[in-house]
Amino acid sequence: MIPYGKQDISQHDIDAVVEVLKSDFLTQGPQVPLFESKIMATTKANHAIAVNSATSALHLACLALGLSKGDVVWTSPISFVASANCALYCGADVDFVDIDPDTYNLSTNALENKLTHAKQNNLPLPNIVIPVHLCGQPCDMDKIHELSKTYSFAIIEDASHAIGGKYKSNPIGGCQFSDIAVFSFHPVKIITTAEGGVATTNNAKLAKRMALLRNHGITRDDKLMTEPTHGAWYYQQIELGFNYRMTEMQAALGISQLTKLFEFVNKRNKLAKRYNEKLRDFPLTLPEQTSDSYSTRHLYVIQLKLAEITLSHQQVFDALRQKNIGVNLHYIPIHLQPFYKNRGSKVGQFPNAENYYKRAISIPLFHQMTDEQQDSVIQALKDILL
Ligand SMILES: *Cc1c(COP(=O)(O)O)cnc(C)c1O
């Protein structure tokens, strides 16, 4: 089976992890701060907080921005469930903004309309908006940032797919147009630490709060303590935090993986370009890249032109799997998940997202993919569709 995505682990990566295993620190040592400094250098953000997953980073980001009961988060229905769940962890509510049918990202027109409508009708306005750079294609951050000024909401970029990408020549994660950006290092993402994530920000207060909450709400910093120290052993819990720490092995793997980031993203763009050329005359809608940005091509999503083929979406998907092409579907609209339907969301609420879901298939694209593997994906599509 040719997988839809796959990590690339080199001997250098393995050596880096083994070295940490032989060292004094398996956790809370020098590797995590070093990894954070490399993330800052890559993204040009002033602060980076490494954690055990992007899900944890999203949770900490919401908490640092003060999200709580009675508040609302708006995000895209076409994302992994974690983009929405983070709001509920904080006791807040979540609502969705329909996608743009061309980029599959949260539509800024739909966002503007929903904001205007909410304001006019005294409906809840969002405290935080979480745009997701789906497949690595950056959202229209300029516009979202502009709207945030008028409607005073905070912005967390879910950049889980987008490390190494650029928006208007700024590296994703530099937070020029957001409060916090979040990356995932799950093995299917651009670079991996097995499990892991990071939050970047230019706001020192937010960074401090995320660092505190990552580690139980415990501090050894005299300036943060509310009572005099008892002695050199002393630490103080000043808030209810979590254990969301990243291990030293993960950070060492991340440091090693980061050295290959641009090679990875470059290769993904080459593969995407090759798909674009070779699939041009197929009954498919292909992913286009907006001219002001550089996508990481984390996923290559094709959409079936169902009116031009005899098979159904599911039949094409199954036929590809039968030919050993490890296709997948990113994503099932979050509002159609039983959990969210039980909370009141309904079929038909976000038609562009639901339309996308009826046609989309993620075909294999990963850094080590060979031309031969890519050709067999193309041949399988040809056999099935033409
Ligand atoms: C993978 C992913 C997450 C969650 O990342 P983890 O590191 O697995 O917690 C969140 N949002 C999006 C868009 C993702 O693709």
Side-chain angles (χ1 to χ4, degrees):
M1 184 82 87
I2 302 174
Y4 85 86
K6 188 175 185 287
Q7 72 274 17
D8 180 347
I9 300 295
S10 66
Q11 191 57 45
H12 187 267
D13 293 329
I14 294 166
D15 293 344
V17 173
V18 170
E19 201 154 310
V20 169
L21 284 167
K22 294 178 183 165
S23 78
D24 290 338
F25 295 100
L26 302 186
T27 187
Q28 294 176 289
Q31 298 295 325
V32 168
L34 185 59
F35 180 48
E36 289 171 336
S37 72
K38 306 255 178 212
I39 291 288
M40 288 183 252
T42 303
T43 59
K44 310 265 192 293
N46 293 336
H47 307 275
I49 314 298
V51 287
N52 58 0
S53 71
T55 304
S56 301
L58 285 165
H59 185 194
L60 293 185
C62 287
L63 287 172
L65 287 163
L67 192 76
S68 65
K69 198 168 156 48
D71 292 343
V72 185
V73 168
W74 288 5
T75 189
S76 170
I78 298 295
S79 184
F80 186 55
V81 291
S83 309
N85 289 345
C86 57
L88 307 185
Y89 295 157
C90 303
D93 212 339
V94 69
D95 197 357
F96 302 95
V97 178
D98 207 356
I99 62 163
D100 175 323
D102 294 328
T103 63
Y104 323 148
N105 279 330
L106 175 150
S107 154
T108 45
N109 283 337
L111 176 62
E112 186 163 23
N113 291 341
K114 195 174 169 105
L115 288 164
T116 315
H117 181 261
K119 187 150 196 175
Q120 280 169 354
N121 294 280
N122 250 336
L123 296 167
L125 283 159
N127 303 78
I128 301 175
V129 172
I130 306 183
V132 183
H133 305 311
L134 198 78
C135 310
Q137 169 70 65
C139 296
D140 184 357
M141 292 309 298
D142 233 348
K143 177 83 184 186
I144 297 168
H145 185 241
E146 189 189 306
L147 289 167
S148 78
K149 301 281 171 212
T150 314
Y151 292 92
S152 55
F153 55 80
I155 302 170
I156 301 171
E157 294 170 74
D158 184 340
S160 292
H161 300 179
I163 194 157
K166 281 185 187 153
Y167 172 70
K168 298 194 169 170
S169 72
N170 303 301
I172 298 290
C175 298
Q176 285 87 354
F177 305 99
S178 66
D179 297 279
I180 299 170
V182 165
F183 297 107
S184 171
F185 305 124
H186 182 279
V188 298
K189 309 293 161 81
I190 311 288
I191 59 163
T192 190
T193 63
E195 297 284 355
V198 71
T200 59
T201 182
N202 293 323
N203 180 319
K205 258 196 189 150
L206 293 176
K208 252 193 189 150
R209 222 170 126 62
M210 288 192 283
L212 182 73
L213 293 171
R214 161 178 69 178
N215 190 26
H216 307 277
I218 280 171
T219 183
R220 289 177 188 275
D221 180 350
D222 289 346
K223 289 191 281 303
L224 292 177
M225 289 192 188
T226 55
E227 288 174 23
T229 176
H230 300 178
W233 65 85
Y234 191 60
Y235 59 82
Q236 209 173 66
Q237 184 185 349
I238 54 177
E239 282 204 61
L240 183 62
F242 307 86
N243 180 353
Y244 282 169
R245 294 187 305 257
M246 175 179 270
T247 68
E248 290 287 284
M249 288 80 77
Q250 290 171 305
L253 180 54
I255 292 164
S256 181
Q257 286 263 302
L258 260 183
T259 61
K260 291 172 293 184
L261 174 64
F262 293 107
E263 180 197 320
F264 286 179
V265 173
N266 214 346
K267 176 72 190 289
R268 285 173 173 281
N269 271 278
K270 278 206 183 115
L271 289 165
K273 193 158 166 251
R274 199 156 175 271
Y275 269 143
N276 280 347
E277 282 160 9
K278 301 209 171 217
L279 297 176
R280 193 182 299 144
D281 298 326
F282 285 49
L284 299 170
T285 305
L286 302 179
E288 288 309 325
Q289 191 176 315
T290 54
S291 57
D292 61 356
S293 62
Y294 181 55
S295 171
T296 57
R297 299 291 192 175
H298 165 57
L299 297 170
Y300 192 91
V301 175
I302 55 171
Q303 284 194 83
L304 306 179
K305 291 185 174 164
L306 289 171
E308 295 175 26
I309 58 176
T310 49
L311 296 177
S312 72
H313 181 227
Q314 192 175 344
Q315 282 170 330
V316 173
F317 191 98
D318 291 344
L320 283 162
R321 283 263 178 106
Q322 260 154 28
K323 288 179 181 288
N324 279 324
I325 310 300
V327 286
N328 218 310
L329 209 172
H330 301 89
Y331 291 92
I332 305 156
I334 302 174
H335 71 284
L336 299 185
Q337 292 288 355
F339 175 81
Y340 280 93
K341 280 205 229 160
N342 285 338
R343 295 179 55 89
S345 58
K346 291 189 174 56
V347 177
Q349 228 176 336
F350 304 101
N352 291 343
E354 291 171 33
N355 243 327
Y356 164 91
Y357 177 56
K358 286 178 188 148
R359 286 148 225 264
I361 298 175
S362 307
I363 61 174
L365 194 157
F366 49 95
H367 168 240
Q368 282 177 316
M369 190 178 206
T370 61
D371 282 359
E372 290 70 39
Q373 283 177 316
Q374 194 175 27
D375 288 340
S376 55
V377 176
I378 294 160
Q379 186 61 47
L381 279 166
K382 198 173 198 172
D383 293 346
I384 295 163
L385 295 173
L386 301 181

